[in-house]
C-alpha cells in the first residue's frame, strides 16, 4: 500500500515509519524537518507545515491511507482543533479514502473507563490537553471518510512486547491502574489497521495484554 504519515519524527510516528516499510508498504512522510527522517527504499520525504493545506494535499495524492501520529504538546490545549480541519480537508481533496488517527486514552468519554488514579491525572494535569482531543475528534468521525481512532494508554521507550491488546472501546468496561506500553506496539497496531479494514468506523484501545476488563 501507499501510506501517508504525519508525525514521522515523533516517538510513535518514527516507529510507525519503520514498521510500515518493514511490512512492505510505501510511505510518504510529510514533515517539517526532512533531515530527521531516515532515508531508504520505500520512503518519500516531503517537507511542509501542517497548516499548509495545499502543500499537504499535494503530498497526500496517491496515498490510500493517512496515518496521523501527531498529538502535539501537552501544554497546547487547541492543537488538534487547529490541525484536524486542515488535515481532513487535505485528505478529502487528495482522494485519500481512509484515516487512522492517534488520540490518547483519557480523552472524552474514554476517561470514564479509567481507574481512579488515572482519572485524577486526566482531570487535573492533562485536562486541557485531553479536552482538545475530545473537542476535535468529531471532525474525523463526521468527515465522510473511512476512519479509525486509536487510543493508546501510557507509553514508554522500551523493546516491543510480544503480547498486547488492540480492542474496540465498546468492548472495554475498565482499564485498571495505569498500564504502560512501548511505542513500538502502538506502531505495529497502526500499520495493521492501515493494512486492513477491521478497525473501520471504530475507536480502538491499545493497551497491555492484561490492561483491560471486558464489558
Amino acid at each position: 500500500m501507499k501510506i501517508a504519515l504525519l508525525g514521522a519524527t515523533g516517538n510513535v510516528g518514527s516507529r510507525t515509519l519503520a514498521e510500515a516499510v518493514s511490512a512492505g508498504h510505501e510511505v510518504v512522510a510529510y514533515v517539517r524537518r526532512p533531515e530527521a527522517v531516515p532515508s531508504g527504499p520505500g520512503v518519500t520525504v516531503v517537507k511542509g507545515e501542517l497548516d499548509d493545506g495545499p502543500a499537504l494535499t499535494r503530498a497526500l495524492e496517491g496515498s490510500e491511507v493517512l496515518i496521523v501520529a501527531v498529538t502535539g504538546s501537552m501544554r497546547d490545549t487547541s492543537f488538534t482543533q487547529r490541525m484536524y480541519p486542515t488535515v481532513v480537508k487535505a485528505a478529502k481533496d487528495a482522494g485519500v479514502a481512509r484515516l487512522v488517527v492517534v488520540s490518547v486514552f483519557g480523552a472524552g468519554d474514554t476517561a470514564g473507563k479509567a481507574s481512579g488514579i488515572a482519572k485524577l491525572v486526566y482531570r487535573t494535569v492533562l485536562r486541557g490537553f485531553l479536552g482538545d482531543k475530545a473537542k476535535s475528534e468529531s471532525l474525523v468521525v463526521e468527515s465522510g471518510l473511512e476512519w479509525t481512532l486509536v487510543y493508546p494508554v501510557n507509553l514508554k521507550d522500551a523493546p516491543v512486547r510480544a503480547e498486547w491488546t488492540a480492542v474496540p472501546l465498546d468492548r472495554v468496561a475498565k482499564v485498571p491502574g495505569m498500564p504502560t506500553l512501548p511505542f513500538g506496539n502502538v506502531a505495529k497496531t497502526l500499520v495493521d489497521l492501515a493494512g486492513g479494514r477491521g478497525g473501520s468506523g471504530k475507536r480502538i484501545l491499545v493497551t497491555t495484554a492484561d490492561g483491560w476488563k471486558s464489558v
Side-chain angles (χ1 to χ4, degrees):
M1 297 180 63
K2 186 174 182 180
I3 298 173
L5 174 63
L6 304 183
T9 60
N11 287 321
V12 172
S14 61
R15 291 162 174 84
T16 302
L17 174 64
E19 182 67 27
V21 171
S22 178
H25 300 300
E26 179 184 351
V27 181
V28 177
Y30 182 82
V31 293
R32 289 185 300 167
R33 298 182 296 111
E35 68 278 4
V37 180
S39 60
V43 179
T44 300
V45 182
V46 179
K47 182 178 180 179
E49 300 287 340
L50 281 175
D51 59 359
D52 187 341
L56 179 56
T57 300
R58 290 192 295 272
L60 298 182
E61 288 176 349
S63 295
E64 298 162 70
V65 183
L66 170 60
I67 297 178
V68 182
V70 185
T71 54
S73 167
M74 290 186 180
R75 296 184 297 274
D76 191 334
T77 60
S78 64
F79 176 77
T80 54
Q81 292 174 79
R82 301 193 310 271
M83 177 184 74
Y84 281 9
T86 301
V87 170
V88 167
K89 184 177 187 304
K92 294 175 78 170
D93 290 347
V96 178
R98 300 174 57 209
L99 293 178
V100 178
V101 180
V102 180
S103 185
V104 184
F105 180 69
D109 62 354
T110 68
K113 300 177 185 290
S115 65
I117 187 170
K119 286 178 183 176
L120 179 62
V121 174
Y122 299 157
R123 292 170 178 170
T124 55
V125 179
L126 299 180
R127 180 177 179 179
F129 174 69
L130 296 175
D132 174 43
K133 305 296 173 285
K135 291 175 183 176
S136 59
E137 287 172 4
S138 61
L139 294 172
V140 174
V141 173
E142 297 167 5
S143 66
L145 298 169
E146 188 178 340
W147 58 268
T148 304
L149 285 167
V150 182
Y151 298 83
V153 292
N154 308 290
L155 300 176
K156 64 180 178 180
D157 186 3
V160 172
R161 291 191 179 195
E163 297 182 357
W164 75 100
T165 297
V167 59
L169 270 166
D170 58 10
R171 291 178 50 196
V172 179
K174 196 77 174 178
V175 177
M178 297 188 72
T180 303
L181 198 64
F183 296 117
N185 287 98
V186 180
K188 285 181 174 293
T189 300
L190 295 176
V191 174
D192 285 346
L193 289 168
R197 284 182 158 75
S200 178
K202 295 180 181 178
R203 304 163 74 209
I204 306 293
L205 172 72
V206 185
T207 186
T208 57
D210 59 354
W212 66 292
K213 294 185 181 298
S214 63
V215 173

